Amino acid sequence: MRASLIQIAVDGDEPVDARRARAASLVAEQRDADLVVLPELWPVGAFAYESFAPEAEELSGPTHAAMSKAAADAGVWLHAGSIVERAPDGRLYNTSLVFSPSGDLAATYRKIHRFGFDKGEAVLMAAGDDLVTVPVPGLPLGLATCYDLRFPELFRGLVDAGALAFAIPAGWPARRGAHWTLLARARAVENQAYVLACGTAGTHAGIAQAGHSLVVDPWGEVLAEAGEAEEVLTVDLDPARVTTTRDQFPALKDRVLGTSGC
Ligand SMILES: NC(=O)CCC(=O)C(=O)O
């Protein structure tokens, strides 16, 4: 199984429509991949809070249309990163869209842990409350978004739901780049699962992005890591590696339920 992570640059001076068209053509080029992953809120920028409401879309909006076509053109499973979703009740969500190779919307995930404490996403958006896995053949994917990476209990829940890999789109700032790589490896090691962590490059709303998208195997080894600039990271995954890791070092079986509060 080949995965491509598209670490697209999200710069404030590029119009959203132009970036959407650019992302669609980058996805459509990934015909050799089985699975393609884009970052969090790449149309608008994860820290461009003032643009959230004006650029919010319905689930069936312009990003859905462009990504559905791109997935079908390339014939890939596409985790299209996330959009600012305007729900029918008017609330905004940070919502990930996953498309099948025929371009059908296979899953959505509304980010559970919102970033910003008492401002930004945490006050502008509503929180999701559903764990989501996607039955990608051979490699069931658990979904999480950016700040979710700091909450290990979410990932345990995804493992219990059958995930062998986690897809984590992000808009992670450069100033906490060390946390990004450390936490991505930790989630892989403790859950004995692949981590596909796709961030953004560029600078928007004055926040330089970390880049450094990475793919980590179930033993915690970094298989590939991007630099700071826009880049497509391609890596071959072996789903059997998850089961052999879990069989040969069966730490997940030693969990003592009830001690973690979940
Ligand atoms: N968009 C985000 O969720 C940012 C998360 C972040 O900056 C952090 O966890 O640190």
Side-chain angles (χ1 to χ4, degrees):
M1 141 115 24
R2 179 164 291 178
S4 288
L5 278 57
I6 301 178
Q7 177 175 287
I8 195 163
V10 180
D11 286 308
D13 53 6
E14 182 180 35
V16 169
D17 285 347
R19 189 159 43 250
R20 197 178 279 122
R22 213 159 57 72
S25 62
L26 283 166
V27 171
E29 284 169 15
Q30 309 307 315
R31 290 190 171 77
D32 290 343
D34 303 293
L35 170 66
V36 176
V37 185
L38 278 163
E40 178 189 33
L41 295 179
W42 57 267
V44 58
F47 288 89
Y49 301 137
E50 67 290 349
S51 300
F52 282 4
E55 295 293 348
E57 318 174 30
E58 295 176 0
L59 272 186
S60 58
T63 303
H64 177 292
M67 293 298 116
S68 165
K69 181 173 184 320
D73 285 351
V76 295
W77 282 90
L78 172 62
H79 186 315
S82 67
I83 60 166
V84 181
E85 177 203 352
R86 186 182 301 285
D89 64 6
R91 287 196 284 186
L92 304 184
Y93 291 89
N94 186 336
T95 303
S96 288
L97 310 176
V98 182
F99 296 90
S100 74
S102 54
D104 294 324
L105 186 63
T108 61
Y109 165 65
R110 286 172 166 169
K111 186 178 181 182
I112 291 175
H113 302 95
R114 295 158 300 161
F115 183 69
F117 310 114
D118 57 356
K119 58 181 186 332
E121 180 186 26
V123 295
L124 297 171
M125 291 194 177
D129 50 17
D130 291 328
L131 290 187
V132 178
T133 56
V134 190
V136 172
L139 196 71
L141 271 189
L143 305 189
T145 305
C146 202
Y147 188 48
D148 282 334
L149 186 58
R150 294 186 183 272
F151 299 88
E153 62 276 18
L154 168 61
F155 293 82
R156 256 316 135 75
L158 292 169
V159 166
D160 287 343
L164 301 186
F166 305 122
I168 312 170
W172 199 278
R175 65 192 300 255
R176 290 187 290 281
H179 295 188
W180 165 248
T181 44
L182 179 67
L183 291 168
R185 292 188 70 188
R187 298 295 86 86
V189 171
E190 72 197 359
N191 295 297
Q192 303 183 307
Y194 280 105
V195 165
L196 312 175
C198 183
T200 48
T203 296
H204 62 270
I207 308 286
Q209 297 293 290
H212 286 273
S213 298
L214 69 166
V215 177
V216 191
D217 80 2
W219 193 246
E221 302 290 346
V222 176
L223 299 182
E225 181 170 343
E228 288 170 11
E230 182 163 305
E231 180 175 339
V232 179
L233 198 63
T234 298
V235 64
D236 289 320
L237 310 175
D238 175 9
R241 184 124 169 74
V242 180
T243 29
T244 52
T245 303
R246 290 179 182 179
D247 287 347
Q248 290 169 5
F249 193 84
L252 284 174
K253 291 190 182 146
D254 281 339
R255 292 166 65 189
V256 180
L257 296 175
T259 56
S260 65
C262 56

